[in-house]
Amino acid sequence: GERAKRLGEAVEVIKLLFSQQKSTFNGKYYQLKDALCEPKPVQKPHPPLLIGGVGPKLIQPLAARHADIWHFFPGSGGDGAVKKMCEDFDALCRKVGRDPAQVEKSLSLRDQQLAGTAEEIRGRVKALANVGVRHFILSLSPPYDRALMKRFATEVMPELRKG
């Protein structure tokens, strides 16, 4: 809980520093007085903020309020579990007064999801995209399978972009 609370304050501080000429913040963990952050980022009002985690009490509400991208880890349950998590997160966004479409969803593709033919992998990724996931991070175990990464880049992704 303590780390999540620190993260909450840190997100507020970062957004202030990226968007204000001088930033003042008086929190429990961080204090700023007329702090400068120069040069400002090119993206306005700030670079996309990705917040990852599934903690329902602190992390998900924080992501619902501040994230541009929410990265989550669905456990077991397949596409049904992912769909439920996306629906629950969208409801949380609405509860905090935010349009769920403002927060893109991201998850990690693990070794088992990347097994099989390119067509099978595309099918799994398409199923996840159909329930709202827009960003995918390959999360492989060492030793890293370079052939798998190359196959994903050359045989899976180009076909997904077409559809």
Side-chain angles (χ1 to χ4, degrees):
E2 169 111 6
R3 290 187 313 168
K5 289 174 185 172
R6 284 181 184 272
L7 175 62
E9 274 193 24
V11 168
E12 289 183 57
V13 166
I14 289 167
K15 287 173 82 173
L16 280 173
L17 289 168
F18 283 165
S19 62
Q20 305 297 315
Q21 185 63 35
K22 291 183 178 182
S23 301
T24 298
F25 183 86
N26 190 20
K28 179 177 179 181
Y29 304 103
Y30 304 101
Q31 294 80 40
L32 304 175
K33 183 165 172 56
D34 296 329
L36 300 173
C37 178
E38 297 295 338
K40 296 288 186 228
V42 173
Q43 299 98 329
K44 300 296 178 207
H46 51 73
L49 294 176
L50 184 150
I51 297 175
V54 294
K57 292 180 183 173
L58 297 173
I59 295 297
Q60 284 190 42
L62 176 67
R65 281 190 307 277
H66 296 287
D68 299 297
I69 304 168
W70 172 53
H71 188 85
F72 63 103
F73 310 92
S76 61
D79 300 341
V82 172
K83 181 179 181 183
K84 172 109 172 70
M85 290 182 81
C86 288
E87 289 170 349
D88 291 348
F89 184 77
D90 287 351
L92 185 56
C93 287
R94 285 188 287 278
K95 182 179 177 181
V96 300
R98 193 145 178 233
D99 179 357
Q102 292 180 311
V103 186
E104 295 189 14
K105 291 157 187 90
S106 168
L107 65 81
S108 295
L109 295 174
R110 308 229 168 154
D111 295 292
Q112 64 273 19
Q113 294 165 305
L114 297 167
T117 66
E119 187 174 323
E120 291 169 331
I121 298 167
R122 273 194 303 274
R124 288 198 265 316
V125 173
K126 281 182 181 179
L128 293 167
N130 287 339
V131 298
V133 179
R134 295 291 173 259
H135 297 271
F136 299 92
I137 297 171
L138 298 185
S139 182
L140 305 174
S141 301
Y144 304 110
D145 185 343
R146 291 181 186 269
L148 170 71
M149 290 187 281
K150 183 175 181 176
R151 186 166 59 106
F152 188 84
T154 60
E155 297 177 30
V156 176
M157 289 310 300
E159 291 298 316
L160 290 170
R161 288 191 181 117
K162 290 178 187 176

